[in-house]
C-alpha cells in the first residue's frame, strides 16, 4: 500500500510540474505521440514557440576539438590558425519553423537516393560500379520504413511512411535534379543518401537551398560535413576517422616506416587516402609512393611493379572491392608479401570471392563492428535475413540507422522540415542504432568508434583500438585558436595509450 | 556575433551620450569628431533608414526570394515559386508561374542583357530560361549544351550568357547559338560545383564550391584560379593569405576589386592583396555568406543568414550592419568601425528578415532579398564612403518607413 501511495504521489507531483511548466512557458501544446526525454521535450517546446522571424534559443552544440584529431596530426600544428571551423554548430535561422503541418496527407514521404540501377560510369566511361552498395542501402532504408509502418506509421495522423526511391545514376550533377524532384514534386520531408562523394556534395547544396534535411549513411568522404550546411547529417564514421586509426596502427603500434598506396583514380580514392597521407607525413613517415589506377582496370602490373621497387613495409589500397581483390591477387602472384590493408569497401563477400585464400591476413578499417554484442543488431540481422534472405552489411545497417533517425525526427517534430532538422541537430544523446551508438559532432558527423577488421581463418575479426592497444596521439582539450601552438617538431608529443 | 551586437545595443541604449563621446576620443586622427550644440558630428557612412517591404501580401508569388535584378523602373524577382516584376512607380507586382509558361517554378538567378533587354532566368532544377517579348524560351540538359539543370548563377558577358550549374559552367552565345561547356576537363576546376557568376571588365568570375574562384579572360580565353593557400578545410591559417575558404558561394567584381562570399567568412582582393573578413572582428552579422554584391572598390554588401553586413568604407573598416528585431520586427542599423559601435539606429522598418539571400543595387537604392520577402532600401541623399554628419542618437525616431 505504502508503495502505491509513493507512486501515486510521484505521479501527482510530475503532473503538477508538467502543468506548471507549460503555463510558465506559455508554449503551444506539444503534440507528440512518441516517448521523448526531457531534453528533447525542451527542444521541441522552444522550436514550437518561435515565429517565422525568431530563432529558438537552444544554445549551439560545440566541440572542443575537431574530429577528435590528435595534436601531432593536425595541419600546420606549429602555427596558431587565425580561424578554426566546425567547432560550433551552424544554426538554421530561416523562417521554416513557422510553416504549418499540412492536414491532407495520405502518406509521409521520405526520400531515398542511391545508386541502385546500372548506368554509365563517369569515372570509366563503362558500366557504373556502386549498385551493389546502393541496393544494400535501399534494403536497409526500406526495412526501417516497414518497421515503422508495422508500429503504426506516423503516429500523429495514423498514416504510413512512404519511401520515395530515386536512382543516383553516378553522373555528376544528376543527384541535384533528383533532390529538386523529391523536394518540389514528391514533397518528401527528409532524404537519405547517397554514396558517391561528388553526388553527395551536389545533393546537400540543393538541400540547403530547398531547406530539407539530408542524412548520409554511405559517403565516407571527410569533406562531406566540412561544408557548414545546417541541413546535412551523416551517421557513418568517415575516412578521416578510419585514416587516423590506420595511421596509428601502422606507425604508433607496428612501428612501420615505408608505406605505399594504390588507389582508385576517383573522388573516393583521392579523398579516402588524404588523411592517411597527411597523417603519415605529419608523423614523420611520408608515403613512399602513391599509385592510382582507372576504375575497371584488370591489370595492375604497372602500378605494382613501381611499388615493388620501393621495398615497402605495407601497402594500402583505397577503392572498390573488385579492384582491391585483383590487386591483392596480382601482388601475391608477383611475390609481394607485404601486409595488405584496404578500405572498408573491401569488407565484402565480393572481395573474398575474388581474393580467395589471399584474403587471409588482410586488414581493413571499418566504420562499425558488425559482430558487436548488441541486441538491436541481433534483431536487425534476423529481420533483414527474413526480409531479404541475405546478411546485412555496412551500407544496409547504416541506412537502417539513418532512416530510423529521420523517422524519429519526424515523429517528434511533426511534418515541418526545419523542425525535423532541429531534432537531429539538437539531439543531446547518442542514437542507439544497430551499428552502435551514434553521437553527432557539432558539424553533424558521426565521430563514433571505428574498428580494424583482420581476416583470419576465413573470417573477419573486428577489433577496437582498445582491443589491439593501439596508441593514440595526444588530443588537446582546447581548440587551436585559444591554445598555444604545438611544440617544436623535434620534441615528441605525448602519446596516450 | 549576436551577443556582441546585443551587448553593444544595450550599452548604446543605456549610455547614449557617453558612447559617442568616448568613441570620438578613440578615433584615428584622420577621422575627427566634434560636437556641435545639438549633436556630435563625425565622419560616418550613409545609412539606409527608409525601407519598404514586399511580400506575398503585396502580391509576390512567394516570400522566399533567391534573386533580384533591377531594370530601370522595374525590379525582377526570382522566388521559390515563380517570377515577379515590381513596378517601382506604382508599387504593383506582376507575377508568372508555370501556368503562364515559366518552365520551372524555382528561380535561383536573374540577369538582364542590357543590349537586348532580355531577362535571363536560372532555374533550380529546371535549366535556363529567357523571358523576352512576353514569351519564355527554355534550355535544359536534353535540348542544349547546358551542362546541368540545377542552375545557381547567371552572368551576361557581351553576347554570351554564362550559367553556373551544379556540374560545371556553360556559356551560350546568343548570336550563334553555340554552347561551350567548362568542367574539370577544360578548366582548372578542382570541383565542378559552380555557384555564382559575375562579369566585369573583360573577365568572367566563377564562384565554385570546393574550387575557390576562377577567372576567365574573355580576350585570351585563359583561366586563372584563386584557392585558399593553406589547402585545409577545417582552418584558415592566415586571414589575409587568399580566399578564406575554397567553398565559395558568391562573387562580384567591380572597380578592379574582387569580392567573395563563402559559408566561412568573406574576402576582398585588389589584385595584389587579399583581405579576409570574419564576423568576430568586423560588422559582419555572420560568417555564413549567401551572396555578395560589390558596389564599388570600397563598398561591399554581404547577405548572410543573420542579417546584412555592409562594408561601407573599406579604408577605414567602417561597417553598417542591418538586422531585424525578431520580436518587434523593427529594423536596426549599427555603424561600427574596428569593432567599435559609432551609432545604433532604431528604425520602424529595416530588412524584412534576418535570413538574407540577395542584394541588388538600383541607383541610390538597394534591394534586399530574404527568405521572408523583399526590402527596398530607399537611398535619398546616398553618398559613397564617409562624410561629416551628426550621429544618430539611440532611439532616434527621425527615421521613417514607407508603408
Amino acid at each position: 500500500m505504502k508503495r502505491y501511495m509513493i507512486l501515486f504521489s510521484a505521479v501527482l507531483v510530475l503532473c503538477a510540474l508538467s502543468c506548471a511548466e507549460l503555463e510558465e512557458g506559455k508554449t503551444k501544446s506539444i503534440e507528440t505521440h512518441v516517448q521523448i526525454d526531457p531534453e528533447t521535450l525542451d527542444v521541441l517546446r522552444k522550436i514550437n514557440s518561435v515565429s517565422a522571424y525568431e530563432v529558438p534559443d537552444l544554445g549551439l552544440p560545440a566541440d572542443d576539438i575537431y574530429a577528435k584529431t590528435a595534436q601531432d596530426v593536425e595541419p600546420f600544428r606549429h602555427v596558431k590558425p587565425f580561424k578554426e571551423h566546425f567547432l560550433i554548430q551552424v544554426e538554421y535561422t530561416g523562417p521554416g519553423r513557422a510553416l504549418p503541418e499540412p492536414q491532407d496527407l495520405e502518406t509521409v514521404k521520405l526520400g531515398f537516393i542511391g545508386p541502385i540501377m546500372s548506368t554509365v560510369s563517369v569515372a570509366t566511361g563503362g558500366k557504373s560500379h556502386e549498385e551493389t552498395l546502393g541496393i544494400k542501402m535501399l534494403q536497409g532504408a526500406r526495412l526501417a520504413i516497414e518497421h515503422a509502418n508495422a508500429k503504426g506509421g506516423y503516429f500523429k495522423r495514423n498514416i504510413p511512411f512512404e519511401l520515395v526511391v530515386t536512382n543516383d545514376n553516378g553522373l555528376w550533377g544528376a543527384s541535384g535534379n533528383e533532390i529538386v524532384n523529391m523536394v518540389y514534386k514528391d514533397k518528401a520531408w527528409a532524404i537519405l543518401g547517397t554514396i558517391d562523394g561528388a553526388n553527395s556534395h551536389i545533393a546537400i547544396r540543393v538541400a540547403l537551398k530547398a531547406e530539407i534535411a539530408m542524412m548520409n549513411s554511405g559517403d565516407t568522404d571527410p569533406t562531406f560535413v566540412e561544408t557548414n550546411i545546417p541541413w546535412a547529417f551523416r551517421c557513418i564514421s568517415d575516412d578521416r576517422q578510419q585514416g587516423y586509426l590506420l595511421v596509428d596502427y601502422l606507425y604508433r603500434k607496428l612501428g612501420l616506416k615505408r608505406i605505399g598506396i594504390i588507389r582508385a583514380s576517383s573522388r573516393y580514392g583521392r579523398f579516402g587516402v588524404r588523411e592517411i597521407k597527411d597523417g603519415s607525413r605529419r608523423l614523420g613517415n611520408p608515403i613512399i609512393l602513391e599509385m592510382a589506377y582507372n576504375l575497371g582496370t584488370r591489370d595492375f602490373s604497372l602500378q605494382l611493379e613501381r611499388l615493388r621497387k620501393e621495398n615497402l613495409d605495407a601497402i594500402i589500397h583505397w577503392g572498390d572491392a573488385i579492384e582491391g581483390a585483383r590487386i591483392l591477387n596480382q601482388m601475391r602472384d608477383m611475390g609481394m608479401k607485404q601486409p595488405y590493408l584496404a578500405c572498408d569497401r573491401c569488407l565484402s563477400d565480393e572481395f573474398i570471392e575474388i581474393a580467395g585464400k589471399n584474403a587471409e591476413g588482410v586488414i581493413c578499417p571499418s566504420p562499425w563492428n558488425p559482430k558487436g554484442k548488441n541486441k538491436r543488431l541481433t534483431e536487425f540481422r534476423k529481420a533483414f535475413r527474413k526480409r531479404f534472405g541475405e546478411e546485412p552489411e555496412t551500407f544496409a545497417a547504416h541506412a537502417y540507422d539513418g532512416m530510423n533517425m529521420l523517422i524519429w525526427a519526424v515523429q517528434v517534430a511533426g511534418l515541418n522540415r526545419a523542425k525535423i532538422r532541429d531534432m537531429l541537430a539538437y539531439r543531446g544523446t547518442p542514437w542507439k542504432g544497430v551499428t552502435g551508438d551514434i553521437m553527432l559532432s557539432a558539424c553533424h558527423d558521426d565521430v563514433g568508434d571505428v574498428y580494424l577488421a583482420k581476416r583470419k581463418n576465413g573470417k573477419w575479426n573486428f577489433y577496437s583500438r582498445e582491443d589491439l592497444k593501439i596508441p593514440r596521439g595526444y588530443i588537446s582539450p582546447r581548440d587551436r585558436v585559444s591554445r598555444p601552438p604545438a611544440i617544436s617538431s623535434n620534441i615528441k608529443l605525448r602519446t596516450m595509450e | 556575433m549576436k551577443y556582441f551586437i546585443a551587448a553593444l545595443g544595450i550599452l548604446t541604449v543605456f549610455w547614449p551620450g557617453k558612447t559617442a563621446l568616448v568613441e570620438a576620443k578613440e578615433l584615428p586622427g584622420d577621422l575627427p569628431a566634434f560636437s556641435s550644440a545639438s549633436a556630435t558630428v563625425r565622419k560616418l557612412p550613409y545609412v539606409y533608414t527608409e525601407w519598404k517591404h514586399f511580400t506575398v501580401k503585396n502580391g509576390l508569388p512567394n516570400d522566399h526570394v533567391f534573386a533580384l535584378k533591377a531594370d530601370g523602373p522595374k525590379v525582377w524577382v526570382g522566388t521559390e515559386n515563380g517570377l515577379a516584376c515590381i513596378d517601382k512607380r506604382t508599387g504593383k507586382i506582376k507575377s508568372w508561374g508555370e501556368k503562364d509558361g515559366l518552365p520551372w517554378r524555382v528561380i535561383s538567378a536573374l540577369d538582364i542583357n542590357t543590349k537586348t533587354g532580355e531577362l535571363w532566368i536560372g532555374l533550380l532544377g529546371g535549366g535556363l530560361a529567357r523571358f523576352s517579348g512576353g514569351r519564355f524560351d527554355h534550355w535544359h540538359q536534353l535540348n542544349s549544351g547546358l551542362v546541368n539543370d540545377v542552375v545557381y548563377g547567371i552572368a551576361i558577358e557581351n553576347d554570351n550568357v554564362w550559367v553556373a550549374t551544379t556540374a560545371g559552367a556553360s556559356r551560350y552565345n546568343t548570336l550563334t547559338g553555340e554552347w561551350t561547356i567548362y568542367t574539370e576537363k577544360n578548366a582548372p576546376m578542382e570541383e565542378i560545383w559552380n555557384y555564382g557568376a559575375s562579369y566585369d571588365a573583360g573577365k568572367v568570375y566563377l564562384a565554385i564550391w570546393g574550387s575557390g574562384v576562377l577567372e576567365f579572360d574573355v580576350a585570351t580565353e585563359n583561366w586563372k584560379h584563386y584557392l585558399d593557400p593553406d589547402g585545409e578545410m577545417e582552418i584558415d591559417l592566415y586571414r589575409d593569405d587568399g580566399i578564406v575558404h575554397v567553398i565559395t558561394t558568391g562573387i562580384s567584381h567591380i572597380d578592379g576589386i574582387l569580392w567573395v562570399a563563402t559559408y566561412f567568412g568573406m574576402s576582398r582582393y585588389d589584385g595584389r592583396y587579399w583581405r579576409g573578413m570574419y564576423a568576430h572582428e568586423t560588422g559582419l552579422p555572420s560568417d555564413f555568406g549567401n551572396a555578395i554584391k560589390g558596389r564599388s572598390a570600397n563598398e561591399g554588401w554581404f547577405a548572410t543568414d543573420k542579417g546584412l553586413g555592409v562594408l561601407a568604407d573599406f579604408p577605414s573598416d567602417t561597417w553598417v550592419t542591418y538586422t531585424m528585431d525578431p520580436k518587434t520586427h523593427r529594423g536596426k542599423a549599427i555603424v561600427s568601425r574596428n569593432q567599435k559601435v559609432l551609432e545604433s539606429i532604431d528604425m520602424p522598418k529595416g530588412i524584412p528578415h534576418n535570413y538574407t539571400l540577395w542584394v541588388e543595387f538600383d541607383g541610390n537604392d538597394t534591394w534586399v532579398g530574404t527568405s521572408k520577402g523583399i526590402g527596398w532600401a530607399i537611398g535619398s541623399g546616398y553618398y559613397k564612403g564617409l562624410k561629416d554628419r551628426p550621429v544618430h542618437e539611440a532611439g532616434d525616431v527621425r527615421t521613417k518607413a514607407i508603408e
Side-chain angles (χ1 to χ4, degrees), chain B residues 164-203:
Chain B
T165 86
T166 203
S170 287
R171 183 194 196 191
Y172 176 56
N173 187 312
T174 56
L175 298 183
T176 65
E178 181 187 0
W179 286 87
T180 311
I181 290 175
Y182 298 100
T183 64
E184 84 285 4
K185 291 182 170 58
N186 58 351
M189 292 181 191
E190 290 198 1
E191 307 292 0
I192 57 173
W193 314 316
N194 285 240
Y195 224 61
S198 171
Y199 172 69
D200 183 46
K203 288 176 181 171

Side-chain angles (χ1 to χ4, degrees), chain B residues 51-54 68 350-352 366-370 373-377:
Chain B
W51 291 79
K52 184 175 172 64
H53 291 179
F54 295 94
L68 293 162
I351 54 174
T366 301
W367 295 77
V368 182
T370 78
I374 298 167
W376 177 13

Side-chain angles (χ1 to χ4, degrees), chain A residues 334-406:
Chain A
M334 291 166 68
M336 296 171 72
K337 297 186 188 313
Q338 289 96 337
Y340 189 69
L341 301 98
C343 60
D344 65 296
R345 286 192 182 183
C346 292
L347 281 169
S348 70
D349 294 343
E350 225 174 0
F351 179 84
I352 298 301
E353 280 166 24
I354 299 170
K357 64 179 189 322
N358 285 334
E360 200 68 10
V362 169
I363 295 171
C364 299
S366 172
W368 68 309
N369 180 0
K371 294 190 175 173
K373 291 186 177 22
N374 172 345
K375 191 183 165 199
R376 295 182 300 274
L377 177 57
T378 307
E379 287 172 1
F380 167 67
R381 281 189 179 288
K382 195 175 158 190
F384 196 92
R385 274 196 300 267
K386 187 179 173 191
R387 174 68 174 82
F388 300 108
E390 55 187 275
E391 283 293 324
E393 43 64 271
T394 299
F395 289 85
H398 284 86
Y400 183 78
D401 276 347
M403 187 55 80
N404 272 322
M405 290 172 82
L406 294 180

Side-chain angles (χ1 to χ4, degrees), chain A residues 10 26 32 45-46 97 178 185 190 226 286-287 335 342 357 382 384 393 401 419 458 464:
Chain A
K26 288 182 182 172
T32 178
R45 280 204 177 97
K46 286 176 176 168
R97 296 179 186 90
E178 299 297 351
K185 292 179 180 170
E226 294 173 340
I287 294 295
K357 64 179 189 322
K382 195 175 158 190
F384 196 92
E393 43 64 271
D401 276 347
K419 291 180 189 174
S464 68

Side-chain angles (χ1 to χ4, degrees), chain A residues 256-358:
Chain A
L256 303 183
K257 298 285 181 194
R258 297 179 64 81
I259 306 297
I261 289 176
I262 180 165
R263 66 162 177 86
S265 183
S266 65
R267 187 184 171 80
Y268 175 66
R270 185 161 51 104
F271 279 84
V273 300
R274 205 160 79 162
E275 296 308 324
I276 297 171
K277 285 166 57 185
D278 287 346
S280 299
R281 190 180 68 253
R282 287 165 191 159
L283 291 179
N285 303 297
I287 294 295
I288 303 297
L289 182 64
E290 177 185 354
M291 296 297 295
Y293 61 83
N294 290 326
L295 291 180
T297 299
R298 298 181 79 92
D299 177 8
F300 301 92
S301 54
L302 172 74
Q303 291 86 353
L304 291 176
E305 281 296 347
R306 295 279 306 276
L307 287 164
R308 181 159 66 174
K309 286 178 185 168
E310 296 296 340
N311 189 28
L312 300 169
D313 294 335
I315 290 176
I316 297 172
H317 167 257
W318 220 269
D320 286 339
I322 295 174
E323 282 86 357
R326 286 179 180 150
I327 289 166
L328 174 62
N329 289 345
Q330 286 179 37
M331 264 180 63
R332 298 306 185 227
D333 288 347
M334 291 166 68
M336 296 171 72
K337 297 186 188 313
Q338 289 96 337
Y340 189 69
L341 301 98
C343 60
D344 65 296
R345 286 192 182 183
C346 292
L347 281 169
S348 70
D349 294 343
E350 225 174 0
F351 179 84
I352 298 301
E353 280 166 24
I354 299 170
K357 64 179 189 322
N358 285 334

Side-chain angles (χ1 to χ4, degrees), chain A residues 17-223:
Chain A
L17 282 173
S18 171
C19 293
E21 212 168 294
L22 280 173
E23 181 60 28
E24 193 183 336
K26 288 182 182 172
T27 55
K28 293 174 187 173
S29 65
I30 305 294
E31 286 186 62
T32 178
H33 298 70
V34 287
Q35 284 189 329
I36 49 177
D37 58 80
E39 194 181 346
T40 306
L41 188 63
D42 185 48
V43 172
L44 194 57
R45 280 204 177 97
K46 286 176 176 168
I47 62 176
N48 278 344
S49 65
V50 295
S51 72
Y53 301 90
E54 296 168 297
V55 179
D57 184 17
L58 290 163
L60 294 174
D63 293 334
D64 294 323
I65 197 82
Y66 177 58
K68 298 195 297 191
T69 306
Q71 201 168 346
D72 52 5
V73 294
E74 286 175 340
F76 302 103
R77 66 179 182 274
H78 306 302
V79 181
K80 181 185 283 199
F82 184 80
K83 187 87 162 56
E84 190 173 8
H85 306 301
F86 314 127
L87 296 181
I88 299 173
Q89 189 180 90
V90 175
E91 61 190 324
Y92 167 64
T93 58
R97 296 179 186 90
L99 293 172
E101 176 163 335
Q103 305 293 313
D104 56 346
L105 298 174
E106 293 179 357
T107 61
V108 174
K109 292 180 178 175
L110 294 173
F112 170 92
I113 179 164
I116 52 173
M117 285 185 271
S118 180
T119 183
V120 176
S121 165
V122 166
T124 65
K127 187 174 172 295
S128 56
H129 56 281
E130 286 178 340
E131 293 82 65
T132 49
L133 313 178
I135 288 167
K136 294 286 184 188
M137 196 169 102
L138 176 58
Q139 288 172 331
R142 199 181 286 289
L143 192 63
I145 295 282
E146 288 172 0
H147 283 177
N149 284 339
K151 289 176 190 165
Y154 178 50
F155 296 141
K156 193 171 170 183
R157 304 213 177 283
N158 291 320
I159 54 175
F161 288 99
E162 179 186 347
L163 193 62
V164 178
V165 180
T166 57
N167 180 41
D168 176 10
N169 73 11
L171 296 168
W172 281 33
S175 58
N177 296 331
E178 299 297 351
I179 303 300
V180 167
N181 288 338
M182 278 194 273
V183 172
Y184 294 105
K185 292 179 180 170
D186 298 319
K187 300 192 187 305
W189 294 99
I191 299 169
L192 180 89
T194 178
I195 294 175
D196 177 83
N199 295 349
S200 298
H201 268 284
I202 286 169
I204 56 174
R205 291 173 64 207
V206 179
L208 170 66
K209 278 269 183 190
E211 301 190 350
I212 188 167
M214 274 212 75
M215 174 65 73
N216 190 292
S217 64
D219 172 19
T220 52
D221 173 359
T223 66

Side-chain angles (χ1 to χ4, degrees), chain B residues 274-305:
Chain B
W274 284 92
R275 170 62 196 256
M277 290 166 274
Y278 288 106
H280 72 272
E281 54 162 9
T282 68
L284 276 172
S286 161
D287 288 331
F288 194 91
N290 283 316
I292 163 66
K293 187 88 173 178
R295 192 175 211 166
S296 68
N298 291 327
E299 185 177 335
W301 288 57
F302 300 94
T304 82
D305 64 338

